[in-house]
Amino acid sequence: MNQLGPPPSPSNGVARSDSKLSAKALYEQRKKYSNSNIIMQETSQYHVEHLSTFVMDKSESIATVDDAVKKLILLDSKDKIWTQEMLLQVSDSAIRLLDCDSQEELENFPLPTVQLCQTVLNQTRYPSVLLLVC
């Protein structure tokens, strides 16, 4: 004989997907999410396509961010720029570029040396370019 009514509530505090979360399950879910955010805040990682690294040097005619963008555009117009897939890792101490496959560190910029972080939109054939001045 079938009885109508709400489904039985789980005894372990974990709610079923077809019912509302119990207070305990909601608390546990939020606690787990909160703890995972703390871990993520220590190091963030992003898949990027690295274009180039320029030394800010007047002898190279690169004294400003605009000079670096102009050089990037010039090199790109001559097909001298190609992307290299990398992982950009940001921690509380440094910005690092790592090889995607080997995880080898290719570049390391300690945070105290980063003077400027700027996004350049739609000035090159790449829709978004992240510039770091260290």
Side-chain angles (χ1 to χ4, degrees), residues 5-125:
S9 61
S11 60
N12 63 2
V14 177
R16 294 178 17 182
S17 62
D18 61 346
S19 65
K20 291 185 178 181
L21 290 175
S22 70
K24 182 178 179 181
L26 183 60
Y27 168 78
E28 292 297 328
Q29 182 183 40
R30 287 180 178 171
K31 182 178 170 184
K32 183 178 177 182
Y33 178 76
S34 175
N35 290 339
S36 70
N37 279 348
I38 292 169
I39 294 168
M40 292 301 290
Q41 289 174 359
E42 292 176 10
T43 301
S44 297
Q45 184 167 285
Y46 308 93
H47 184 264
V48 297
E49 293 181 334
H50 183 263
L51 298 174
S52 186
T53 300
F54 300 130
V55 175
M56 297 293 276
D57 186 358
K58 289 183 180 179
S59 67
E60 296 280 326
S61 299
I62 304 177
T64 67
V65 169
D66 288 337
D67 293 338
V69 172
K70 288 176 188 172
K71 182 169 183 175
L72 177 65
I73 291 169
L74 175 67
L75 291 172
D76 190 38
S77 70
K78 296 179 179 182
D79 290 328
K80 293 189 176 188
I81 294 289
W82 60 93
T83 63
Q84 180 179 358
E85 291 185 19
M86 292 187 188
L87 295 174
L88 174 78
Q89 267 188 0
V90 181
S91 70
D92 60 352
S93 61
I95 298 173
R96 300 171 51 207
L97 291 172
L98 308 173
D99 180 87
C100 285
D101 297 323
S102 69
Q103 300 292 309
E104 176 186 353
E105 181 178 278
L106 303 173
E107 298 201 45
N108 185 324
F109 306 104
L111 280 187
T113 67
V114 178
Q115 299 172 13
L116 176 71
C117 179
Q118 178 179 331
T119 304
V120 176
L121 301 174
N122 302 315
Q123 291 187 24
T124 68
R125 73 177 163 126

